[in-house]
Amino acid sequence: MKNTFSPPDIARRGVKELRARANPAKAAEVQRYFKDAVRSYGIASPEVREIAAGLYRDVKGDWTVDDAVELCDILFPEPELETKAIAALILARFNSSYGPELFLDVKKWLSRDYLDNWASVDVFCPYVVGELLVRYPKLIRDIKLWALHPNRWVKRASAVSFIRLAKKPEFADVIYEIAVSLFPVEDDLIRKANGWLLREVGKKDMRRLERFLVEKGPSIPRTTLRYAIERFEERKRRALLEKTRGEARTR
């Protein structure tokens, strides 16, 4: 008879396996990539994905998306990066069953600082939120408001949720709209995410990105601009840095 594992069962197994593979020396090195303090088991991403895949195989066919959401409710509040990641990766496997109500769970997790670092947001949002936006386009109206939310992780999610969608022309208008909404935010993690998003949308239409950058000019934080222009050849990058220079925003 096949065993049926509950979300608490899988949560315990996941944490046990992570602890067994923990590498304290590598965990200390992880902090170099974060300005804020984070906790890590020091496990490489391929290993984390391997653990998540093994746990998913044990529940595939038995679980619904509600079980995966429950797993996230259990593991996202845990402090370690890898613990959050395995929950996110398992939920992503249930994307064909997402309902629009999942959007509210996502906002709850973000606004409560359960995904309280750029790595966790970036593992989770492009796949889970991005899929929700494809399946339920009406949610785009709601995610635009995330750019104005006081929580930095909700703000970052408003940008990185579109990273995988940036190659689809039908999302270009909303991406540029969100980018403008984020320009006033004085948070380096938001500025970098916004530049990353602009760089990605620009891959499909470099001329439109160039026109946008020149038009918005000094309103664009320099960090955002430098990320956004990385795909241009060097002469064009220098020209854009000069054309968009202004006294209003110099950082």
Side-chain angles (χ1 to χ4, degrees), residues 21 33 65 79 91 105 214 217-218 231 235:
R21 299 194 192 197
Y33 301 100
V65 68
L91 178 58
D105 289 303
V214 172
R231 286 280 175 166
R235 184 183 301 176

Side-chain angles (χ1 to χ4, degrees), residues 126-191:
Y127 293 91
V128 176
V129 185
E131 180 63 26
L132 280 167
L133 296 173
V134 170
R135 294 173 68 84
Y136 306 103
K138 289 183 178 180
L139 293 175
I140 290 173
R141 176 190 59 195
D142 299 306
I143 202 170
K144 287 181 189 179
L145 298 176
W146 287 17
L148 309 176
H149 196 278
N151 183 282
R152 74 190 310 197
W153 309 119
V154 177
K155 279 191 174 76
R156 186 173 175 100
S158 73
V160 300
S161 295
F162 286 93
I163 290 295
R164 298 179 72 242
L165 305 181
K167 62 185 177 183
K168 298 178 181 290
E170 62 267 31
F171 289 98
D173 288 348
V174 67
I175 285 172
Y176 282 110
E177 184 178 344
I178 286 173
V180 171
S181 296
L182 291 173
F183 286 161
V185 180
E186 296 185 1
D187 184 324
D188 199 48
L189 288 177
I190 307 304
R191 290 175 169 177

Side-chain angles (χ1 to χ4, degrees), residues 49-122:
R49 292 183 179 276
E50 177 188 321
I51 293 170
L55 295 171
Y56 172 72
R57 283 194 296 270
D58 286 341
V59 300
K60 182 182 178 181
D62 292 328
W63 274 21
T64 67
V65 68
D66 291 337
D67 295 302
V69 168
E70 184 180 345
L71 180 69
C72 292
D73 281 331
I74 296 170
L75 292 183
F76 279 169
E78 295 296 316
E80 291 81 11
L81 300 174
E82 297 89 346
T83 311
K84 300 175 193 294
I86 60 172
L89 292 166
I90 290 172
L91 178 58
R93 299 272 193 152
F94 290 86
N95 59 4
S96 63
S97 302
Y98 290 170
E101 66 279 359
L102 178 58
F103 195 76
L104 297 177
D105 289 303
V106 171
K107 188 175 181 182
K108 174 190 71 176
W109 294 326
L110 291 164
S111 62
R112 292 183 181 179
D113 292 334
Y114 291 167
L115 301 173
D116 59 351
N117 61 86
W118 63 260
S120 295
V121 173
D122 295 2

